[in-house]
Amino acid sequence: ASLVLNFAPKPLAAGSGENGIGIGFGGDAKLLVVQAIDSDGFVTDVDEAAAIVYAVKHGARIVNLSLGGSETSPIERRAIRWAAKRGVLIVASAGNGYEEGNAVEYPAALLQPVGRAAGAESARVGATQLDGTRAPFSNTGSYLSLAAPGSNVFAAESADSAWPRADLPWASPGFYGWASGTSFS
């Protein structure tokens, strides 16, 4: 079983497929949740790097980076390089800014430098719609390695989520609804 560090507020890959709701397909995966994001949704490069190092030192084999921005830093680059050298699969969302100019997003672009061939130690993920076409918000570019469903995904949500909620016809211990973004891909 692999440990997964997930920066996203809604970890789908390791969700329970046996919770009576049908969300998730994690199987025997173990989820290591390391919160690097503060209560306002902000994460510093130092916090990101510390979380990556912590997760890898505690057995993570996959690190999911569902975060991004227009710039990178030496500490972000160093933490990702350090994890990759230890055989950790790094997965990063491509970003949701296509309609605002499709700017290159980091850390995804760190994993696959723009215009260069891909390595097997990372995945840079864009989002598709239900019909398989690119989701209108999903960034594109040569640094992406694949696209997966990321539009109107039914998922567990935090209590303070602004996304539309679903009224489930059975008793539910949490909040569920639809959300979109490359973090879901």
Side-chain angles (χ1 to χ4, degrees):
S2 296
L3 289 168
V4 178
L5 166 65
N6 191 347
F7 283 90
K10 305 164 194 78
L12 297 178
S16 173
E18 300 174 5
N19 62 4
I21 299 168
I23 298 173
F25 53 89
D28 292 334
K30 295 177 184 174
L31 179 64
L32 172 63
V33 178
V34 180
Q35 184 169 340
I37 299 174
D38 68 19
S39 61
D40 294 326
F42 185 75
V43 61
T44 68
D45 290 347
V46 172
D47 294 335
E48 175 192 354
I52 291 168
V53 170
Y54 177 89
V56 172
K57 285 188 174 184
H58 286 84
R61 304 300 305 144
I62 301 168
V63 172
N64 176 40
L65 301 170
S66 289
L67 52 86
S70 61
E71 297 179 11
T72 184
S73 71
I75 195 165
E76 181 180 54
R77 290 190 300 270
R78 188 172 178 192
I80 290 171
R81 195 170 43 246
W82 179 86
K85 285 182 182 179
R86 282 154 182 77
V88 173
L89 173 64
I90 310 290
V91 180
S93 55
N96 304 321
Y98 183 83
E99 296 168 317
E100 290 81 39
N102 195 37
V104 172
E105 288 273 336
Y106 295 93
L110 290 176
L111 306 178
Q112 173 61 43
V114 177
R116 292 189 29 210
E121 67 282 346
S122 65
R124 292 81 42 211
V125 186
T128 64
Q129 299 184 101
L130 287 175
D131 65 2
T133 61
R134 182 187 57 79
F137 56 82
S138 181
N139 285 3
T140 63
S142 62
Y143 65 100
L144 272 67
S145 55
L146 63 105
S151 183
N152 293 319
V153 176
F154 188 68
E157 295 186 356
S158 65
D160 61 350
S161 175
W163 292 99
R165 291 260 171 76
D167 290 324
L168 301 180
W170 57 89
S172 172
F175 300 100
Y176 296 90
W178 291 268
S180 298
T182 57
S183 292
F184 293 96
S185 304

